[in-house]
Amino acid sequence: MTAGRMGALRPSFAMALAIGTLGGALFTLIGMPLSWMLGAMTATGLASILHLPVKGWARARPPMSAVIGVMLGSQFGPHTLETVADWWPALVALAAYLLVSAVLCTVYLRRMIRMDGPTAFFSAMPGGLIDMVLLGAERGGDERTIALMHSSRIFLVVLGLPPLMTLVTGADPGARVAAWRPLAEMGLLDVAFFLGAIALGTGLGRLLRMPAPFLIGPMLVSMALHWTGATGFTVPSGVIAVAQIVLGTTVGCRFAGTSSRRILHILLTSAGSTVILLGVALLFALGLQYLIDVPVEGILLAFAPGGLAEMSLVALALNLEVSFVVVSHISRIGMVILGAGLVSRRKTP
């Protein structure tokens, strides 16, 4: 991307960020759960539909992903190793969930929406937006439709999870919000560890060509620091709020440049597949709560087919089994990419 084009993107992203911040502030004022993320996502999504001059900025997400990665790593302590072995029933069930939900969504998109085979198949996969777009394009699918379907799925999952949790468990997601941690609680040594984990993790992630290197690399470095007891820093709530705003803004802006009619059509189509995905996830969560020591809300969040960064931030914001959610979503992405890659070698019907 040329410097001129980068310059042309920045004002539109600045406007999107301003709209997202206002949306987050409004949702916070009225007491909505996940207020900064949902408010930013909703406000910029509406701005995109109304064709306001908003647009995402590719360079905004990687550094924010690194911040999120370090935050996630800080949730892993020595106790995590003791409990990971108890999660194997959930990971086995996760593979079954992916198979069942992918088949049902593919049938829905092929038979009811009349999508072509490759587009339906790669739009139905519950995860790995960039990977599904690339694989789908190689197999002759409509990459724009695949990208919009996955963006819509993430949008609808993040928007629909809090009320679904309330409906199923009767719990108020807003009541589970983690206590506010002021910036002043982070000392200079903590800041040094925080920034060092970002720098080292990003470098390792890119060097080792990890999937989502800007998120997973810093997460692994932060995880190692907290496992070994080298540091015990926690990320201030203000930083988490900024991460939610930027992430919500980038999700909402994925609809920019698309006609209102097509956005509404994709949202309606994606709503059907999202209902299938969340419905199957809920059934698995209700069954698994008797097999593992994780509340049904945490299992539902771990199986919910949103993005890794988005679902991890939801877990952080709602103080829900963060390490379990992160491990589950990393496993989900790996399973989806591997499974879709293997199936795509065969002719898609």
Side-chain angles (χ1 to χ4, degrees):
M1 183 175 286
T2 64
R5 183 161 173 75
M6 287 300 300
L9 285 176
R10 290 192 183 110
S12 56
F13 180 68
M15 176 172 282
L17 209 54
I19 291 173
T21 302
L22 288 174
L26 176 61
F27 274 41
T28 300
L29 184 64
I30 62 179
M32 290 285 289
L34 298 173
S35 56
W36 294 107
M37 179 187 287
L38 289 180
M41 188 179 69
T42 303
T44 52
L46 288 172
S48 297
I49 292 175
L50 295 174
H51 299 295
L52 295 181
V54 296
K55 196 168 185 178
W57 188 36
R59 293 194 177 184
R61 191 174 177 96
M64 195 53 55
S65 294
V67 171
I68 294 168
V70 173
M71 287 192 291
L72 297 178
S74 69
Q75 303 298 308
F76 287 77
H79 66 282
T80 308
L81 287 175
E82 302 171 5
T83 57
V84 167
D86 298 328
W87 295 342
W88 68 265
L91 298 181
V92 173
L94 180 62
Y97 159 73
L98 294 174
L99 177 61
V100 171
S101 59
V103 169
L104 292 176
C105 284
T106 301
V107 171
Y108 158 72
L109 295 174
R110 287 284 280 139
R111 301 291 174 83
M112 297 187 66
I113 308 300
R114 302 296 182 186
M115 281 187 184
D116 63 89
T119 303
F121 177 75
F122 289 102
S123 295
M125 294 298 103
L129 186 152
I130 295 174
D131 303 279
M132 294 306 100
V133 170
L134 293 175
L135 285 171
E138 289 177 5
R139 292 292 300 129
D142 183 341
E143 55 186 301
R144 177 70 171 168
T145 297
I146 296 170
L148 285 172
M149 283 292 293
H150 282 285
S151 298
S152 301
R153 170 178 54 79
I154 293 171
F155 185 96
L156 293 171
V157 167
V158 175
L159 198 63
L161 266 178
L164 179 61
M165 287 180 179
T166 300
L167 180 66
V168 172
T169 67
D172 177 13
R176 297 195 61 115
V177 174
W180 183 266
R181 293 185 294 272
L183 189 62
E185 287 187 2
M186 204 174 194
L188 290 178
L189 187 59
D190 292 331
V191 173
F193 274 116
F194 177 70
L195 296 177
I198 289 176
L200 180 59
T202 299
L204 284 176
R206 299 182 70 180
L207 180 66
L208 300 177
R209 298 183 179 180
M210 296 176 180
F214 292 98
L215 187 144
I216 294 179
M219 183 184 73
L220 292 177
V221 172
S222 178
M223 190 186 302
L225 289 172
H226 285 81
W227 264 343
T228 58
T231 181
F233 72 79
T234 56
V235 180
S237 299
V239 176
I240 297 176
V242 171
Q244 290 187 55
I245 291 171
V246 174
L247 207 59
T249 298
T250 57
V251 171
C253 283
R254 283 177 178 160
F255 302 105
T258 306
S259 69
S260 302
R261 185 174 181 178
R262 190 175 187 195
I263 291 174
L264 293 175
H265 173 72
I266 289 290
L267 283 173
L268 288 173
T269 301
S270 184
S273 59
T274 301
V275 167
I276 293 171
L277 291 167
L278 286 178
V280 177
L282 178 58
L283 291 176
F284 274 88
L286 291 172
L288 276 170
Q289 66 178 320
Y290 301 107
L291 299 178
I292 60 175
D293 187 23
V294 176
V296 66
E297 305 100 294
I299 302 172
L300 178 59
L301 185 54
F303 276 49
L308 169 61
E310 287 82 3
M311 294 298 95
S312 300
L313 269 180
V314 172
L316 276 168
L318 298 184
N319 201 24
L320 274 171
E321 310 297 331
V322 177
S323 55
F324 174 68
V325 171
V326 171
V327 169
S328 297
H329 279 284
I330 291 175
S331 301
R332 173 179 61 86
I333 291 171
M335 291 176 189
V336 168
I337 293 173
L338 178 62
L342 290 173
V343 173
S344 69
R345 293 177 184 176
R346 303 174 60 186
K347 184 177 180 180
T348 307

